[in-house]
Amino acid sequence: MKNKFFKYTEPIVFYSCLALNVLIVLHFDYISSMDAPAHLYYSRIINYLYSGNSLINSFFTINKTLSPNLTDHYLLALFNTVFRSTVSNKLLILIFFAGFPLCFRYIIKKYNPGGIALSSLSIPFTHCFLFYMGFYNFILSFTFILISIIYYLHHFLDTKDKYSAKEYITFMFLVLLNYFTNGISFLYLGITCGLIELYKLSISTHENGVDRKLWVRHILLLVLIWLPGLIMLYI
């Protein structure tokens, strides 16, 4: 009886808290934070530049350096082509306010289902100091790195001989998304995946053995996936 009660009440608690978190974003036109106005301003400048606004082009130009901390500006600029600034800002924030708890819950449910109730604790952490400072790229990286780890665990955790080109290309997109969002997230994702690969090698060697040539090929492909971001980060 106790287990049945927990089984049905725990999702209600989590999704009710998540809905409240989403409603907070939807209710207010803007949620005040220190750098939020600057992000919206730069995204509008990007819209004007790409639309060929001659006045704005006489004062600003697109920086061609492929540096981190660009994702939020270009996402806002993309949203701005369809929505008002208030809606664009809400959509960006919801990637973190809804995406982070859902990704956190997915990982716990898959790898530690007995601790699923802990997933509700991720919701208050969306109201962190960095969010109210307006560090949008940094907070977005929390969601994107979890999405990348989920994809990696789902597609590359097993020790099958070969992975498809589609899997590598999709993961490369996620790695680059992390790079353009936050350099620390990009590096931490690489360290995490490297540790997973070492764990896979030790488990495979102990249990069934592993084709080291195929494993080395897999590692080299992963290095190639990270190489563009490492070069750009160095530059």
Side-chain angles (χ1 to χ4, degrees):
M1 180 65 70
K2 183 178 178 181
N3 289 337
K4 283 187 176 181
F5 178 78
F6 175 81
K7 178 181 178 181
Y8 292 109
T9 57
E10 187 280 327
I12 294 173
V13 171
F14 174 82
Y15 287 107
S16 297
C17 293
L18 183 65
L20 177 61
N21 215 34
V22 170
L23 284 173
I24 290 172
V25 177
L26 297 179
H27 176 72
F28 298 100
D29 285 341
Y30 295 101
I31 298 180
S32 299
S33 63
M34 185 175 293
D35 286 354
H39 292 294
L40 277 174
Y41 174 75
Y42 293 137
S43 69
R44 280 298 180 188
I45 294 295
I46 291 171
N47 285 124
Y48 289 139
L49 288 172
Y50 280 113
S51 65
N53 186 297
S54 57
L55 177 62
I56 295 299
N57 270 283
S58 64
F59 292 97
F60 296 95
T61 186
I62 296 292
N63 187 348
K64 298 299 195 300
T65 303
L66 299 176
S67 60
N69 298 327
L70 292 176
T71 298
D72 72 320
H73 292 156
Y74 281 91
L75 277 178
L76 282 171
L78 177 64
F79 296 152
N80 285 339
T81 61
V82 181
F83 306 105
R84 293 175 299 148
S85 294
T86 52
V87 178
S88 298
N89 199 55
K90 291 176 193 291
L91 291 174
L92 187 79
I93 294 174
L94 284 175
I95 294 174
F96 175 56
F97 268 53
F100 175 72
L102 288 171
C103 290
F104 192 82
R105 179 179 177 81
Y106 177 89
I107 291 176
I108 292 180
K109 187 175 183 179
K110 187 170 181 65
Y111 297 102
N112 184 25
I116 189 64
L118 294 173
S119 61
S120 296
L121 297 178
S122 64
I123 297 174
F125 279 97
T126 56
H127 296 271
C128 59
F129 174 73
L130 292 172
F131 169 72
Y132 290 101
M133 286 290 290
F135 292 178
Y136 281 178
N137 281 299
F138 200 88
I139 62 168
L140 287 175
S141 71
F142 298 161
T143 302
F144 293 151
I145 193 172
L146 288 182
I147 291 173
S148 303
I149 290 173
I150 288 170
Y151 186 87
Y152 194 87
L153 292 173
H154 184 71
H155 291 275
F156 296 108
L157 185 61
D158 62 9
T159 54
K160 62 184 180 182
D161 292 338
K162 292 182 180 180
Y163 305 101
S164 68
K166 180 181 177 182
E167 289 172 324
Y168 283 113
I169 292 171
T170 303
F171 188 63
M172 180 177 67
F173 169 78
L174 292 172
V175 170
L176 289 174
L177 179 61
N178 275 272
Y179 168 79
F180 286 113
T181 306
N182 184 267
I184 296 174
S185 169
F186 166 75
L187 294 174
Y188 186 75
L189 177 61
I191 293 171
T192 302
C193 293
L195 291 174
I196 292 172
E197 286 301 324
L198 290 175
Y199 170 75
K200 280 170 51 181
L201 181 64
S202 65
I203 294 297
S204 300
T205 303
H206 177 70
E207 294 180 352
N208 304 315
V210 62
D211 189 324
R212 290 185 177 273
K213 289 184 177 179
L214 288 174
W215 184 81
V216 170
R217 174 180 173 273
H218 173 61
I219 294 299
L220 288 175
L221 287 171
L222 291 179
V223 170
L224 288 176
I225 287 174
W226 257 273
L227 189 59
L230 290 171
I231 293 172
M232 290 186 290
L233 193 61
Y234 175 78
I235 293 173

